[in-house]
Amino acid sequence: DILRGDGYPVEVIPTRLLPAAVDARIKEEKPAVAVVNLLPPGGLPQALYQVKRLRQAHPDLPIVVAHLGKVRDFDALLLKFRRAGASYVVTTLAQAAGQVKTL
């Protein structure tokens, strides 16, 4: 993993975990940043919902959305996630790692 190899602590939360449980984990762990990964073709509504919940529960937490697939209209995607509360939207794991390191 890119971040672990550079000494960053990373916790992967499985998708089967309910959004309320994700919120509780974040409240408990107090991470410096949250990354929501999205692997198309599905998952967009769930990712948007998770970002909204995270933003409501953790207003100061930087949220990076990693949309890891082909994007037809990045501007529209960016707008959707920014409206949901995302701080940043990226399209590769390398970009996500770079954004996390910057934060």
Side-chain angles (χ1 to χ4, degrees):
D1 168 276
I2 299 169
L3 291 169
R4 282 190 184 127
D6 289 339
Y8 291 86
V10 174
E11 181 178 350
V12 177
I13 298 176
T15 57
R16 67 182 173 277
L17 204 60
L18 294 174
V22 173
D23 291 344
R25 280 285 256 302
I26 288 176
K27 205 170 276 185
E28 179 184 316
E29 298 291 326
K30 296 178 180 45
V33 62
V35 179
V36 175
N37 289 321
L38 173 59
L39 300 168
L44 182 63
Q46 295 86 351
L48 285 165
Y49 179 73
Q50 186 64 63
V51 170
K52 285 179 189 175
R53 282 190 63 103
L54 287 172
R55 179 54 61 222
Q56 289 172 351
H58 312 281
D60 297 325
L61 179 68
I63 301 170
V64 177
V65 174
H67 184 284
L68 306 174
K70 201 172 205 173
V71 178
R72 282 185 246 169
D73 186 352
F74 181 78
D75 291 339
L77 182 74
L78 177 64
L79 187 59
K80 283 180 186 180
F81 277 109
R82 292 299 298 238
R83 284 185 179 154
S87 308
Y88 306 95
V89 178
V90 298
T91 57
T92 68
L93 285 175
Q95 289 173 341
Q99 191 62 61
V100 167
K101 290 175 183 181
T102 299
L103 294 167

Coordinates of all heavy atoms in Angstrom, one line a residue:
D1 N 0.8 -1.2 0.0 CA 0.0 0.0 0.0 C 0.9 1.3 0.0 O 1.9 1.3 0.7 CB -0.9 -0.1 1.2 CG -1.6 1.1 1.6 OD1 -1.0 2.0 2.3 OD2 -2.8 1.2 1.2
I2 N 0.5 2.2 -0.8 CA 1.3 3.4 -1.0 C 1.6 4.2 0.3 O 2.7 4.5 0.6 CB 0.7 4.3 -2.0 CG1 0.5 3.7 -3.4 CG2 1.5 5.6 -2.2 CD1 -0.3 4.4 -4.4
L3 N 0.6 4.4 1.1 CA 0.7 5.2 2.3 C 1.4 4.4 3.4 O 2.3 5.0 4.1 CB -0.6 5.7 2.7 CG -1.3 6.8 1.8 CD1 -2.7 7.0 2.2 CD2 -0.5 8.1 1.9
R4 N 1.0 3.2 3.6 CA 1.7 2.4 4.7 C 3.2 2.3 4.4 O 4.0 2.3 5.3 CB 1.1 1.0 4.7 CG -0.3 1.0 5.4 CD -0.7 -0.4 5.7 NE -2.0 -0.4 6.3 CZ -3.1 -1.0 5.8 NH1 -3.0 -1.8 4.8 NH2 -4.2 -0.9 6.4
G5 N 3.6 2.1 3.2 CA 5.0 2.0 2.8 C 5.8 3.3 3.2 O 7.0 3.2 3.4
D6 N 5.1 4.4 3.2 CA 5.7 5.7 3.6 C 5.5 6.0 5.1 O 5.8 7.1 5.5 CB 5.2 6.8 2.7 CG 5.6 6.7 1.3 OD1 6.7 6.1 1.1 OD2 5.0 7.3 0.4
G7 N 5.0 5.0 5.8 CA 4.9 5.2 7.3 C 3.6 5.8 7.8 O 3.5 6.2 9.0
Y8 N 2.6 6.0 6.9 CA 1.3 6.5 7.4 C 0.5 5.4 7.9 O 0.3 4.4 7.3 CB 0.6 7.2 6.2 CG 1.3 8.5 5.7 CD1 2.3 8.5 4.8 CD2 0.9 9.7 6.2 CE1 2.9 9.6 4.4 CE2 1.5 10.9 5.8 CZ 2.5 10.8 4.9 OH 3.1 12.0 4.5
P9 N -0.2 5.7 9.0 CA -1.1 4.7 9.5 C -2.4 4.7 8.7 O -3.0 5.7 8.4 CB -1.4 5.1 11.0 CG -1.1 6.6 11.0 CD -0.1 6.8 9.9
V10 N -2.8 3.5 8.2 CA -4.0 3.4 7.4 C -4.9 2.4 8.0 O -4.5 1.3 8.3 CB -3.6 3.0 5.9 CG1 -4.8 2.7 5.1 CG2 -2.7 4.0 5.3
E11 N -6.2 2.7 8.1 CA -7.2 1.7 8.5 C -8.2 1.6 7.4 O -8.8 2.6 7.0 CB -7.9 2.1 9.8 CG -8.9 1.1 10.2 CD -9.6 1.4 11.5 OE1 -9.2 2.4 12.2 OE2 -10.6 0.7 11.8
V12 N -8.4 0.4 6.9 CA -9.4 0.2 5.8 C -10.7 -0.3 6.5 O -10.7 -1.2 7.2 CB -8.9 -0.9 4.8 CG1 -10.0 -1.2 3.8 CG2 -7.6 -0.4 4.2
I13 N -11.8 0.4 6.2 CA -13.1 0.1 6.7 C -13.9 -0.6 5.6 O -14.1 0.0 4.5 CB -13.8 1.3 7.3 CG1 -13.0 2.0 8.4 CG2 -15.2 1.0 7.7 CD1 -13.6 3.3 8.9
P14 N -14.4 -1.8 5.9 CA -15.1 -2.6 4.8 C -16.4 -1.9 4.4 O -17.0 -1.3 5.2 CB -15.3 -3.9 5.4 CG -15.1 -3.8 6.9 CD -14.3 -2.6 7.1
T15 N -16.8 -2.1 3.2 CA -18.0 -1.5 2.7 C -19.3 -2.1 3.3 O -20.3 -1.4 3.3 CB -18.1 -1.7 1.1 OG1 -18.1 -3.1 0.8 CG2 -17.1 -0.9 0.4
R16 N -19.2 -3.2 3.9 CA -20.4 -3.8 4.5 C -20.7 -3.2 5.9 O -21.7 -3.4 6.4 CB -20.2 -5.3 4.7 CG -19.1 -5.8 5.6 CD -18.9 -7.3 5.7 NE -17.8 -7.7 6.5 CZ -16.6 -7.7 6.1 NH1 -16.3 -7.4 4.8 NH2 -15.6 -8.0 6.9
L17 N -19.8 -2.4 6.4 CA -20.0 -1.7 7.6 C -21.1 -0.6 7.4 O -21.0 0.2 6.4 CB -18.7 -1.1 8.1 CG -18.6 -0.8 9.6 CD1 -18.7 -2.1 10.4 CD2 -17.2 -0.2 9.9
L18 N -22.0 -0.5 8.3 CA -23.1 0.5 8.1 C -22.5 1.9 8.3 O -21.6 2.1 9.1 CB -24.2 0.3 9.1 CG -25.0 -1.0 8.9 CD1 -26.0 -1.2 10.1 CD2 -25.7 -1.0 7.6
P19 N -23.1 2.9 7.6 CA -22.6 4.3 7.8 C -22.5 4.8 9.2 O -21.6 5.5 9.6 CB -23.6 5.1 6.9 CG -24.1 4.2 5.9 CD -24.2 2.8 6.6
A20 N -23.5 4.4 10.0 CA -23.4 4.9 11.5 C -22.2 4.3 12.2 O -21.5 4.9 13.0 CB -24.7 4.5 12.2
A21 N -21.8 3.0 11.8 CA -20.7 2.4 12.4 C -19.4 3.1 11.9 O -18.4 3.2 12.6 CB -20.6 0.9 12.1
V22 N -19.4 3.5 10.6 CA -18.2 4.2 10.1 C -18.1 5.5 10.9 O -17.0 5.9 11.3 CB -18.4 4.5 8.6 CG1 -17.3 5.4 8.1 CG2 -18.4 3.2 7.8
D23 N -19.2 6.3 11.1 CA -19.1 7.5 11.9 C -18.5 7.3 13.2 O -17.7 8.0 13.7 CB -20.5 8.1 12.0 CG -21.1 8.6 10.7 OD1 -20.3 8.8 9.7 OD2 -22.3 8.9 10.6
A24 N -19.0 6.2 13.9 CA -18.5 5.9 15.2 C -17.0 5.6 15.2 O -16.3 6.0 16.1 CB -19.3 4.7 15.8
R25 N -16.6 4.8 14.2 CA -15.1 4.5 14.1 C -14.3 5.8 14.0 O -13.2 5.9 14.6 CB -14.8 3.7 12.9 CG -15.1 2.2 12.9 CD -14.2 1.3 13.6 NE -13.2 0.4 13.1 CZ -13.3 -0.5 12.2 NH1 -14.4 -0.7 11.5 NH2 -12.3 -1.3 11.9
I26 N -14.8 6.7 13.2 CA -14.0 7.9 12.9 C -14.0 8.8 14.2 O -13.0 9.4 14.5 CB -14.6 8.7 11.7 CG1 -14.2 7.9 10.4 CG2 -14.1 10.1 11.7 CD1 -14.8 8.5 9.2
K27 N -15.2 8.8 14.9 CA -15.2 9.6 16.1 C -14.2 9.0 17.1 O -13.6 9.7 17.9 CB -16.6 9.5 16.7 CG -17.0 10.6 17.6 CD -18.5 10.6 17.9 CE -19.2 11.3 16.8 NZ -20.6 11.5 17.0
E28 N -14.1 7.7 17.2 CA -13.2 7.0 18.1 C -11.7 7.2 17.7 O -10.9 7.5 18.5 CB -13.6 5.5 18.2 CG -12.7 4.7 19.1 CD -13.1 3.2 19.0 OE1 -14.3 2.9 19.0 OE2 -12.1 2.4 18.9
E29 N -11.4 7.0 16.4 CA -10.0 7.0 16.0 C -9.5 8.4 15.7 O -8.3 8.5 15.7 CB -9.9 6.1 14.7 CG -10.3 4.7 14.8 CD -9.3 3.9 15.6 OE1 -8.1 4.2 15.6 OE2 -9.7 3.0 16.3
K30 N -10.3 9.3 15.4 CA -9.9 10.7 15.1 C -8.8 10.8 14.0 O -7.7 11.3 14.3 CB -9.5 11.4 16.4 CG -10.6 11.6 17.4 CD -10.1 12.2 18.7 CE -11.1 12.4 19.7 NZ -12.0 11.4 20.0
P31 N -9.1 10.3 12.8 CA -8.1 10.4 11.8 C -7.9 11.8 11.3 O -8.7 12.7 11.5 CB -8.7 9.5 10.7 CG -10.2 9.7 10.9 CD -10.4 9.8 12.4
A32 N -6.7 12.0 10.7 CA -6.4 13.3 10.1 C -7.1 13.6 8.8 O -7.4 14.7 8.5 CB -4.9 13.4 9.9
V33 N -7.5 12.5 8.2 CA -8.2 12.6 6.9 C -9.0 11.3 6.7 O -8.6 10.2 7.1 CB -7.2 12.8 5.7 CG1 -6.2 11.7 5.6 CG2 -7.9 13.1 4.4
A34 N -10.1 11.4 5.9 CA -10.9 10.2 5.5 C -10.9 10.1 4.0 O -11.0 11.2 3.3 CB -12.4 10.3 6.0
V35 N -10.7 8.9 3.5 CA -10.7 8.7 2.1 C -11.9 7.8 1.8 O -11.9 6.7 2.3 CB -9.4 8.1 1.6 CG1 -9.5 7.9 0.1 CG2 -8.2 9.0 1.9
V36 N -12.8 8.2 0.9 CA -13.9 7.4 0.4 C -13.5 6.9 -1.0 O -13.4 7.7 -1.9 CB -15.2 8.2 0.4 CG1 -16.3 7.3 -0.1 CG2 -15.5 8.7 1.8
N37 N -13.3 5.6 -1.1 CA -13.0 5.0 -2.4 C -14.3 4.6 -3.1 O -15.2 4.0 -2.5 CB -12.1 3.8 -2.3 CG -10.7 4.2 -1.8 OD1 -10.2 5.2 -2.3 ND2 -10.1 3.4 -0.9
L38 N -14.3 4.8 -4.4 CA -15.4 4.5 -5.2 C -14.9 3.7 -6.4 O -14.1 4.2 -7.2 CB -16.2 5.8 -5.7 CG -17.3 5.7 -6.7 CD1 -18.4 4.8 -6.2 CD2 -17.8 7.0 -7.0
L39 N -15.4 2.5 -6.6 CA -15.0 1.7 -7.7 C -16.2 1.4 -8.7 O -17.0 0.6 -8.5 CB -14.5 0.3 -7.2 CG -13.3 0.4 -6.3 CD1 -13.0 -0.9 -5.6 CD2 -12.0 0.8 -7.1
P40 N -16.3 2.3 -9.7 CA -17.4 2.1 -10.7 C -17.4 0.7 -11.3 O -16.3 0.1 -11.3 CB -17.1 3.2 -11.7 CG -16.2 4.2 -11.0 CD -15.4 3.4 -10.1
P41 N -18.5 0.3 -11.8 CA -19.6 1.1 -12.3 C -20.6 1.4 -11.2 O -21.5 2.3 -11.5 CB -20.2 0.2 -13.4 CG -19.9 -1.2 -12.9 CD -18.6 -1.1 -12.3
G42 N -20.6 0.8 -10.1 CA -21.6 1.1 -9.1 C -21.1 1.9 -7.9 O -19.9 2.3 -7.9
G43 N -21.9 2.2 -7.0 CA -21.4 2.8 -5.7 C -21.6 4.3 -5.6 O -21.3 4.8 -4.5
L44 N -21.9 5.0 -6.7 CA -22.0 6.4 -6.6 C -23.0 6.9 -5.5 O -22.6 7.8 -4.7 CB -22.3 7.0 -8.0 CG -22.4 8.6 -8.0 CD1 -21.0 9.2 -7.7 CD2 -22.8 9.0 -9.4
P45 N -24.2 6.4 -5.5 CA -25.2 6.9 -4.5 C -24.7 6.6 -3.1 O -24.8 7.5 -2.2 CB -26.5 6.2 -4.8 CG -26.4 5.7 -6.2 CD -24.9 5.5 -6.4
Q46 N -24.1 5.4 -2.9 CA -23.6 5.1 -1.5 C -22.4 6.0 -1.1 O -22.3 6.4 0.0 CB -23.2 3.6 -1.5 CG -24.3 2.6 -1.7 CD -24.6 2.4 -3.2 OE1 -24.1 3.0 -4.1 NE2 -25.5 1.4 -3.4
A47 N -21.5 6.3 -2.1 CA -20.4 7.1 -1.7 C -20.9 8.6 -1.4 O -20.4 9.2 -0.5 CB -19.4 7.2 -2.9
L48 N -21.8 9.1 -2.2 CA -22.4 10.4 -1.9 C -23.0 10.4 -0.5 O -22.8 11.4 0.2 CB -23.4 10.8 -3.0 CG -22.8 11.2 -4.3 CD1 -23.8 11.2 -5.4 CD2 -22.1 12.6 -4.2
Y49 N -23.8 9.4 -0.2 CA -24.4 9.3 1.1 C -23.4 9.3 2.2 O -23.5 10.0 3.2 CB -25.3 8.1 1.1 CG -26.0 7.9 2.5 CD1 -27.1 8.7 2.8 CD2 -25.6 6.9 3.4 CE1 -27.7 8.6 4.0 CE2 -26.2 6.8 4.6 CZ -27.3 7.6 4.9 OH -27.9 7.4 6.1
Q50 N -22.3 8.5 2.0 CA -21.3 8.4 3.1 C -20.6 9.7 3.3 O -20.3 10.1 4.4 CB -20.3 7.3 2.7 CG -19.3 7.1 3.8 CD -19.9 6.5 5.1 OE1 -20.5 5.5 5.1 NE2 -19.8 7.3 6.2
V51 N -20.3 10.4 2.2 CA -19.6 11.7 2.3 C -20.5 12.7 3.0 O -20.1 13.5 3.9 CB -19.2 12.3 0.9 CG1 -18.8 13.7 0.9 CG2 -18.1 11.4 0.3
K52 N -21.8 12.7 2.7 CA -22.8 13.6 3.4 C -22.8 13.3 4.9 O -22.7 14.2 5.7 CB -24.2 13.5 2.8 CG -24.4 14.1 1.5 CD -25.8 13.9 1.0 CE -25.9 14.4 -0.4 NZ -27.2 14.1 -1.0
R53 N -22.8 12.1 5.2 CA -22.9 11.7 6.7 C -21.6 12.1 7.4 O -21.6 12.6 8.5 CB -23.1 10.2 6.8 CG -24.5 9.7 6.6 CD -24.6 8.3 7.0 NE -24.3 8.1 8.4 CZ -25.2 7.9 9.4 NH1 -26.5 7.9 9.1 NH2 -24.9 7.8 10.6
L54 N -20.5 11.8 6.7 CA -19.2 12.2 7.3 C -19.1 13.7 7.5 O -18.6 14.2 8.6 CB -18.0 11.7 6.4 CG -17.7 10.2 6.4 CD1 -16.7 9.9 5.4 CD2 -17.3 9.7 7.8
R55 N -19.5 14.5 6.5 CA -19.4 15.9 6.6 C -20.3 16.4 7.8 O -19.9 17.3 8.5 CB -19.8 16.6 5.3 CG -19.8 18.1 5.3 CD -18.4 18.7 5.8 NE -17.4 18.3 4.9 CZ -16.1 18.0 5.3 NH1 -15.8 17.9 6.6 NH2 -15.2 17.6 4.5
Q56 N -21.5 15.9 7.9 CA -22.4 16.3 9.0 C -21.8 16.0 10.3 O -21.9 16.8 11.3 CB -23.8 15.7 8.8 CG -24.5 16.3 7.6 CD -25.8 15.5 7.3 OE1 -26.1 14.4 7.9 NE2 -26.6 16.0 6.4
A57 N -21.3 14.8 10.5 CA -20.8 14.3 11.8 C -19.4 14.9 12.1 O -19.1 15.0 13.3 CB -20.7 12.8 11.8
H58 N -18.6 15.2 11.1 CA -17.2 15.6 11.3 C -17.0 16.9 10.4 O -16.3 16.7 9.4 CB -16.3 14.5 11.0 CG -16.7 13.2 11.6 ND1 -16.4 12.9 12.9 CD2 -17.4 12.1 11.1 CE1 -16.9 11.7 13.2 NE2 -17.5 11.2 12.2
P59 N -17.5 18.0 10.8 CA -17.4 19.2 9.9 C -16.0 19.7 9.5 O -15.8 20.3 8.5 CB -18.2 20.3 10.6 CG -18.5 19.8 12.0 CD -18.2 18.3 12.0
D60 N -15.0 19.3 10.4 CA -13.6 19.8 10.1 C -12.7 18.7 9.5 O -11.6 19.0 9.2 CB -13.0 20.3 11.4 CG -13.7 21.5 12.0 OD1 -14.2 22.3 11.2 OD2 -13.8 21.6 13.2
L61 N -13.2 17.6 9.3 CA -12.4 16.4 8.8 C -12.3 16.6 7.3 O -13.2 16.7 6.5 CB -13.1 15.1 9.1 CG -12.5 13.8 8.6 CD1 -11.1 13.6 9.3 CD2 -13.4 12.7 8.7
P62 N -11.0 16.6 6.8 CA -10.8 16.6 5.3 C -11.3 15.2 4.8 O -11.0 14.2 5.3 CB -9.3 16.7 5.2 CG -8.8 17.3 6.4 CD -9.7 16.8 7.5
I63 N -12.1 15.3 3.7 CA -12.6 14.1 3.1 C -12.1 14.1 1.6 O -12.4 15.0 0.8 CB -14.2 14.1 3.1 CG1 -14.7 14.2 4.5 CG2 -14.7 12.8 2.4 CD1 -16.2 14.4 4.6
V64 N -11.4 13.0 1.3 CA -10.9 12.8 -0.1 C -11.7 11.7 -0.7 O -11.9 10.6 -0.1 CB -9.4 12.4 -0.1 CG1 -9.0 12.1 -1.5 CG2 -8.6 13.5 0.6
V65 N -12.3 12.0 -1.9 CA -13.0 11.0 -2.6 C -12.1 10.5 -3.7 O -11.7 11.3 -4.5 CB -14.4 11.5 -3.2 CG1 -15.0 10.4 -4.1 CG2 -15.3 11.9 -2.1
A66 N -11.9 9.2 -3.8 CA -11.1 8.6 -4.8 C -12.0 7.8 -5.7 O -12.4 6.7 -5.4 CB -10.0 7.7 -4.2
H67 N -12.4 8.4 -6.9 CA -13.2 7.8 -7.9 C -12.3 7.0 -8.8 O -11.7 7.6 -9.7 CB -14.0 8.8 -8.7 CG -15.0 8.3 -9.6 ND1 -14.6 7.7 -10.8 CD2 -16.3 8.1 -9.6 CE1 -15.6 7.3 -11.5 NE2 -16.7 7.5 -10.8
L68 N -12.1 5.7 -8.6 CA -11.1 4.9 -9.2 C -11.6 4.2 -10.4 O -11.8 3.0 -10.5 CB -10.5 3.9 -8.2 CG -10.0 4.6 -6.9 CD1 -9.5 3.5 -6.0 CD2 -8.8 5.5 -7.3
G69 N -11.9 4.9 -11.5 CA -12.4 4.4 -12.7 C -12.5 5.5 -13.7 O -12.2 6.6 -13.5
K70 N -13.0 5.1 -14.9 CA -13.1 6.0 -16.0 C -14.2 7.1 -15.6 O -15.3 6.7 -15.2 CB -13.5 5.3 -17.3 CG -13.3 6.0 -18.5 CD -13.5 5.1 -19.7 CE -12.7 5.6 -20.8 NZ -12.7 4.7 -22.0
V71 N -13.9 8.3 -15.8 CA -14.8 9.4 -15.5 C -15.1 10.1 -16.8 O -14.2 10.6 -17.5 CB -14.2 10.4 -14.5 CG1 -15.1 11.6 -14.3 CG2 -13.8 9.7 -13.3
R72 N -16.4 10.1 -17.2 CA -16.8 10.8 -18.4 C -16.8 12.3 -18.3 O -16.4 13.1 -19.1 CB -18.2 10.3 -18.9 CG -18.1 9.0 -19.5 CD -19.5 8.6 -20.1 NE -19.9 7.5 -19.3 CZ -21.1 7.0 -19.3 NH1 -22.1 7.6 -20.0 NH2 -21.4 5.9 -18.6
D73 N -17.3 12.8 -17.1 CA -17.4 14.2 -16.9 C -16.9 14.5 -15.5 O -17.7 14.5 -14.5 CB -18.9 14.6 -17.1 CG -19.1 16.1 -17.0 OD1 -18.2 16.9 -16.6 OD2 -20.2 16.6 -17.3
F74 N -15.6 14.8 -15.4 CA -15.0 15.1 -14.1 C -15.7 16.3 -13.4 O -15.9 16.3 -12.2 CB -13.5 15.2 -14.2 CG -12.9 15.5 -12.8 CD1 -12.6 14.4 -12.0 CD2 -12.5 16.8 -12.4 CE1 -12.1 14.6 -10.7 CE2 -12.0 17.0 -11.2 CZ -11.7 15.9 -10.3
D75 N -16.0 17.3 -14.1 CA -16.5 18.5 -13.5 C -17.9 18.2 -12.8 O -18.1 18.7 -11.7 CB -16.7 19.6 -14.6 CG -15.4 20.2 -15.0 OD1 -14.3 20.0 -14.3 OD2 -15.3 20.8 -16.1
A76 N -18.7 17.4 -13.5 CA -20.0 17.1 -12.9 C -19.8 16.2 -11.6 O -20.5 16.4 -10.6 CB -20.9 16.3 -13.9
L77 N -18.8 15.3 -11.7 CA -18.5 14.4 -10.6 C -18.0 15.3 -9.4 O -18.4 15.1 -8.3 CB -17.5 13.4 -11.0 CG -17.1 12.4 -9.9 CD1 -18.2 11.4 -9.7 CD2 -15.8 11.7 -10.3
L78 N -17.1 16.2 -9.7 CA -16.5 17.0 -8.7 C -17.6 17.9 -8.0 O -17.7 17.9 -6.8 CB -15.5 18.0 -9.3 CG -14.9 19.0 -8.4 CD1 -14.1 18.4 -7.3 CD2 -14.0 20.0 -9.2
L79 N -18.5 18.4 -8.8 CA -19.6 19.2 -8.3 C -20.5 18.4 -7.4 O -20.9 18.8 -6.3 CB -20.4 19.8 -9.4 CG -21.5 20.8 -9.1 CD1 -21.0 22.0 -8.3 CD2 -22.3 21.2 -10.3
K80 N -20.9 17.2 -7.7 CA -21.7 16.3 -6.9 C -21.0 16.1 -5.5 O -21.7 16.2 -4.5 CB -21.9 15.0 -7.6 CG -23.0 15.0 -8.7 CD -23.1 13.6 -9.3 CE -24.0 13.7 -10.5 NZ -24.2 12.4 -11.1
F81 N -19.8 15.7 -5.6 CA -19.1 15.4 -4.3 C -18.8 16.6 -3.5 O -18.9 16.6 -2.3 CB -17.8 14.5 -4.6 CG -18.2 13.1 -4.8 CD1 -18.1 12.5 -6.0 CD2 -18.6 12.3 -3.7 CE1 -18.4 11.1 -6.2 CE2 -18.9 11.0 -3.8 CZ -18.8 10.4 -5.1
R82 N -18.5 17.7 -4.1 CA -18.3 19.0 -3.4 C -19.6 19.4 -2.7 O -19.6 19.8 -1.5 CB -17.8 20.1 -4.3 CG -16.3 19.9 -4.8 CD -15.3 19.8 -3.7 NE -15.3 21.0 -2.9 CZ -14.2 21.7 -2.7 NH1 -13.1 21.4 -3.2 NH2 -14.3 22.8 -2.0
R83 N -20.7 19.2 -3.4 CA -22.0 19.6 -2.7 C -22.3 18.6 -1.6 O -23.0 19.0 -0.6 CB -23.1 19.5 -3.8 CG -23.2 20.6 -4.7 CD -24.4 20.5 -5.6 NE -24.4 21.7 -6.5 CZ -25.0 21.7 -7.7 NH1 -25.5 20.6 -8.2 NH2 -25.0 22.8 -8.4
A84 N -21.9 17.4 -1.7 CA -22.1 16.4 -0.6 C -21.2 16.7 0.6 O -21.4 16.2 1.7 CB -21.9 15.0 -1.1
G85 N -20.1 17.5 0.4 CA -19.2 17.8 1.5 C -17.7 17.3 1.3 O -16.9 17.5 2.2
A86 N -17.4 16.8 0.2 CA -16.0 16.3 -0.1 C -15.1 17.5 -0.1 O -15.4 18.6 -0.7 CB -15.9 15.5 -1.3
S87 N -13.9 17.3 0.4 CA -12.9 18.4 0.4 C -12.1 18.3 -1.0 O -11.8 19.3 -1.5 CB -11.9 18.2 1.5 OG -12.5 18.1 2.7
Y88 N -11.9 17.1 -1.4 CA -11.1 16.8 -2.7 C -11.7 15.6 -3.4 O -12.2 14.7 -2.7 CB -9.6 16.6 -2.3 CG -9.0 17.6 -1.5 CD1 -8.9 17.5 -0.1 CD2 -8.5 18.8 -2.1 CE1 -8.4 18.5 0.7 CE2 -7.9 19.8 -1.3 CZ -7.9 19.7 0.1 OH -7.4 20.7 0.9
V89 N -11.5 15.6 -4.7 CA -11.9 14.5 -5.5 C -10.7 14.2 -6.4 O -10.2 15.0 -7.1 CB -13.2 14.8 -6.4 CG1 -13.5 13.6 -7.2 CG2 -14.4 15.1 -5.5
V90 N -10.3 12.9 -6.4 CA -9.2 12.4 -7.3 C -9.6 11.2 -8.0 O -10.7 10.6 -7.7 CB -8.0 12.1 -6.4 CG1 -7.5 13.4 -5.7 CG2 -8.2 11.0 -5.4
T91 N -8.8 10.8 -9.0 CA -9.2 9.7 -9.9 C -8.2 8.6 -9.9 O -8.4 7.6 -10.7 CB -9.5 10.2 -11.3 OG1 -8.3 10.8 -11.8 CG2 -10.7 11.1 -11.4
T92 N -7.2 8.6 -9.1 CA -6.2 7.5 -9.0 C -5.7 7.4 -7.6 O -5.8 8.3 -6.8 CB -4.9 7.8 -9.9 OG1 -4.2 8.9 -9.3 CG2 -5.3 8.1 -11.4
L93 N -5.2 6.2 -7.3 CA -4.7 5.9 -6.0 C -3.5 6.8 -5.7 O -3.3 7.3 -4.6 CB -4.3 4.5 -5.8 CG -5.4 3.5 -5.6 CD1 -4.9 2.1 -5.6 CD2 -6.2 3.8 -4.4
A94 N -2.6 7.1 -6.7 CA -1.5 7.9 -6.5 C -1.9 9.4 -6.2 O -1.3 10.0 -5.3 CB -0.6 8.0 -7.8
Q95 N -3.0 9.9 -6.8 CA -3.5 11.2 -6.5 C -4.0 11.2 -5.1 O -3.8 12.2 -4.3 CB -4.6 11.6 -7.5 CG -4.1 11.9 -8.8 CD -5.2 12.2 -9.8 OE1 -6.4 11.8 -9.5 NE2 -4.9 12.8 -10.9
A96 N -4.7 10.1 -4.7 CA -5.3 10.1 -3.3 C -4.2 10.1 -2.3 O -4.2 10.8 -1.3 CB -6.1 8.8 -3.2
A97 N -3.1 9.3 -2.5 CA -2.0 9.2 -1.6 C -1.3 10.6 -1.5 O -1.0 11.0 -0.4 CB -1.0 8.1 -2.0
G98 N -1.1 11.2 -2.7 CA -0.5 12.6 -2.7 C -1.3 13.6 -1.9 O -0.8 14.4 -1.1
Q99 N -2.7 13.5 -2.0 CA -3.5 14.4 -1.3 C -3.5 14.2 0.2 O -3.4 15.1 1.0 CB -5.0 14.3 -1.8 CG -5.9 15.4 -1.3 CD -5.4 16.8 -1.8 OE1 -5.3 17.0 -3.0 NE2 -5.1 17.6 -0.9
V100 N -3.5 12.9 0.6 CA -3.4 12.6 2.0 C -2.1 13.1 2.6 O -2.0 13.6 3.7 CB -3.5 11.0 2.2 CG1 -3.1 10.6 3.6 CG2 -5.0 10.6 1.9
K101 N -1.0 12.9 1.8 CA 0.3 13.3 2.3 C 0.4 14.8 2.5 O 1.0 15.4 3.4 CB 1.4 12.8 1.4 CG 1.7 11.4 1.4 CD 2.7 10.9 0.4 CE 2.9 9.4 0.4 NZ 3.9 9.0 -0.6
T102 N -0.3 15.5 1.6 CA -0.3 17.0 1.6 C -1.1 17.5 2.9 O -0.7 18.4 3.5 CB -1.0 17.6 0.4 OG1 -0.2 17.2 -0.8 CG2 -1.1 19.1 0.4
L103 N -2.1 16.7 3.2 CA -3.0 17.1 4.3 C -2.3 16.8 5.6 O -2.5 17.3 6.6 CB -4.3 16.4 4.3 CG -5.2 16.9 3.1 CD1 -6.4 16.0 2.9 CD2 -5.7 18.3 3.3

